[in-house]
Amino acid sequence: MGIADNLKTIGKKIPQNVKLIAVSKTKPVEIIQEAYDFGHRIFGENKPQELRDKQAIMPKDIEWHFIGHLQTNKVKYIAPFVSLIHGVDSLKVLNEINKQAIRNDRVIDCLIQIDIAHEETKFGLLEDQARELLNSDEFRSMKNVRICGLMGIGSITNDLNKTRGEFKELKTTFLKLKEEFFLKEDSFSEVSMGMSSDYSLAIEEGSTMVRIGSSIFGERDYLK
Ligand SMILES: *Cc1c(COP(=O)(O)O)cnc(C)c1O
């Protein structure tokens, strides 16, 4: 099956109100162009320089999402154009995003990453840490970032009940923080959860954005 077929198949399984982020990390621009030619416009990458280089040569109506762990010193590579940063997990990186957004005379949309899997290798804040960030004077003074919701990555497991529980937890945290901090802000509306192996489950639990790579582009070859 080709990329267009994959997009068609996945498109049928995703409700209209759920956005599909086609995760193109490690894939060359020729491959991404195939998805673009099919009509897809939202792509996700997890390495700032790779994202910058691809953005520079690909059509300008693409919405680029940064989905990985973002280091402070690399925000500058993506700040001029990025549509949404999914993985904000500290006040420090948010502060840098705000600074770079000012420099580029724009507002950058962000999601706070919540640690739902509790695995050593995964990033993200606990609910109370997110609350602390949102309550801080430093955050309140930032005018060039807009928090549009939350993002989470499920555990690596075959236990779908565990994954479902994690997604439920993320949705619950979203509703609580919405109530506490963003009741009047319609823009706080996104719950980014679900990947190739678990996106149907994520949608059942209230995902508004699924990030799908291998089911669209095939397995990634990290050794190349
Ligand atoms: C790579 C990646 C994805 C996509 O993973 P697939 O299993 O290939 O669909 C989604 N989210 C994040 C944060 C990723 O790093």
Side-chain angles (χ1 to χ4, degrees), residues 88-92 94 112-114 125-142 147 150 173 176-177 180-182:
V88 170
D89 62 358
S90 72
L91 198 52
K92 181 164 167 258
L94 196 59
I112 294 178
Q113 183 169 354
I114 301 291
L125 299 176
L126 299 173
E127 182 179 299
D128 269 339
Q129 294 172 322
R131 196 171 271 122
E132 203 174 301
L133 183 156
L134 294 168
N135 259 325
S136 68
D137 291 337
E138 198 177 357
F139 168 67
R140 284 164 196 269
S141 72
M142 295 177 194
I147 304 296
L150 305 180
T173 299
K176 282 199 237 170
L177 296 180
E180 291 169 44
F181 296 96
F182 298 102

Side-chain angles (χ1 to χ4, degrees), residues 48-137:
Q49 287 102 321
E50 184 178 341
L51 173 51
R52 173 198 59 190
D53 294 346
K54 286 174 173 173
Q55 190 271 342
I57 53 179
M58 295 219 51
K60 291 296 168 276
D61 62 343
I62 290 178
E63 215 181 273
W64 291 103
H65 290 209
F66 186 81
I67 61 166
H69 179 68
L70 186 54
Q71 287 169 294
T72 308
N73 61 342
K74 296 188 174 164
V75 175
K76 59 178 182 281
Y77 297 127
I78 61 171
F81 63 85
V82 71
S83 290
L84 183 64
I85 296 176
H86 287 237
V88 170
D89 62 358
S90 72
L91 198 52
K92 181 164 167 258
V93 76
L94 196 59
N95 198 25
E96 177 65 16
I97 295 168
N98 187 58
K99 251 199 238 166
Q100 294 295 335
I102 292 169
R103 198 160 289 170
N104 286 279
D105 194 22
R106 60 188 299 243
V107 172
I108 297 182
D109 286 343
C110 299
L111 306 179
I112 294 178
Q113 183 169 354
I114 301 291
D115 173 15
I116 52 172
H118 309 300
E119 287 173 349
E120 287 275 314
T121 52
K122 295 217 167 78
F123 295 98
L125 299 176
L126 299 173
E127 182 179 299
D128 269 339
Q129 294 172 322
R131 196 171 271 122
E132 203 174 301
L133 183 156
L134 294 168
N135 259 325
S136 68
D137 291 337

Side-chain angles (χ1 to χ4, degrees), residues 9-222:
T9 307
I10 292 167
K12 282 190 198 131
K13 294 191 201 160
I14 298 178
Q16 288 267 312
N17 59 329
V18 174
K19 291 190 197 83
L20 170 59
I21 320 304
V23 176
S24 50
K25 62 191 188 194
T26 77
K27 300 293 175 184
V29 289
E30 298 76 36
I31 298 287
I32 304 173
Q33 186 69 38
E34 275 187 52
Y36 180 91
D37 291 340
F38 174 74
H40 199 75
R41 291 294 181 271
I42 312 178
F43 295 91
E45 291 280 338
N46 72 342
K47 297 270 186 296
Q49 287 102 321
E50 184 178 341
L51 173 51
R52 173 198 59 190
D53 294 346
K54 286 174 173 173
Q55 190 271 342
I57 53 179
M58 295 219 51
K60 291 296 168 276
D61 62 343
I62 290 178
E63 215 181 273
W64 291 103
H65 290 209
F66 186 81
I67 61 166
H69 179 68
L70 186 54
Q71 287 169 294
T72 308
N73 61 342
K74 296 188 174 164
V75 175
K76 59 178 182 281
Y77 297 127
I78 61 171
F81 63 85
V82 71
S83 290
L84 183 64
I85 296 176
H86 287 237
V88 170
D89 62 358
S90 72
L91 198 52
K92 181 164 167 258
V93 76
L94 196 59
N95 198 25
E96 177 65 16
I97 295 168
N98 187 58
K99 251 199 238 166
Q100 294 295 335
I102 292 169
R103 198 160 289 170
N104 286 279
D105 194 22
R106 60 188 299 243
V107 172
I108 297 182
D109 286 343
C110 299
L111 306 179
I112 294 178
Q113 183 169 354
I114 301 291
D115 173 15
I116 52 172
H118 309 300
E119 287 173 349
E120 287 275 314
T121 52
K122 295 217 167 78
F123 295 98
L125 299 176
L126 299 173
E127 182 179 299
D128 269 339
Q129 294 172 322
R131 196 171 271 122
E132 203 174 301
L133 183 156
L134 294 168
N135 259 325
S136 68
D137 291 337
E138 198 177 357
F139 168 67
R140 284 164 196 269
S141 72
M142 295 177 194
K143 296 284 180 270
N144 290 60
V145 289
R146 183 169 74 159
I147 304 296
C148 296
L150 305 180
M151 177 265 209
I153 304 175
S155 293
I156 300 167
T157 174
N158 292 322
D159 180 356
L160 289 180
N161 278 327
K162 182 167 173 16
T163 307
R164 188 185 291 282
E166 292 166 357
F167 290 159
K168 268 192 207 299
E169 182 188 322
L170 185 59
K171 182 73 177 192
T172 304
T173 299
F174 168 81
L175 292 172
K176 282 199 237 170
L177 296 180
K178 169 101 188 149
E179 169 107 13
E180 291 169 44
F181 296 96
F182 298 102
L183 255 191
K184 296 205 183 85
E185 284 161 72
D186 291 342
S187 49
F188 188 85
S189 59
E190 305 290 356
V191 182
S192 167
M193 58 185 186
M195 314 186 2
S196 290
S197 59
D198 54 23
Y199 70 90
S200 297
L201 203 62
I203 290 168
E204 284 171 23
E205 297 305 331
S207 172
T208 67
M209 284 183 168
V210 290
R211 311 175 307 266
I212 301 182
S214 43
S215 292
I216 297 173
F217 297 108
E219 293 301 323
R220 285 175 294 274
D221 182 1
Y222 282 109

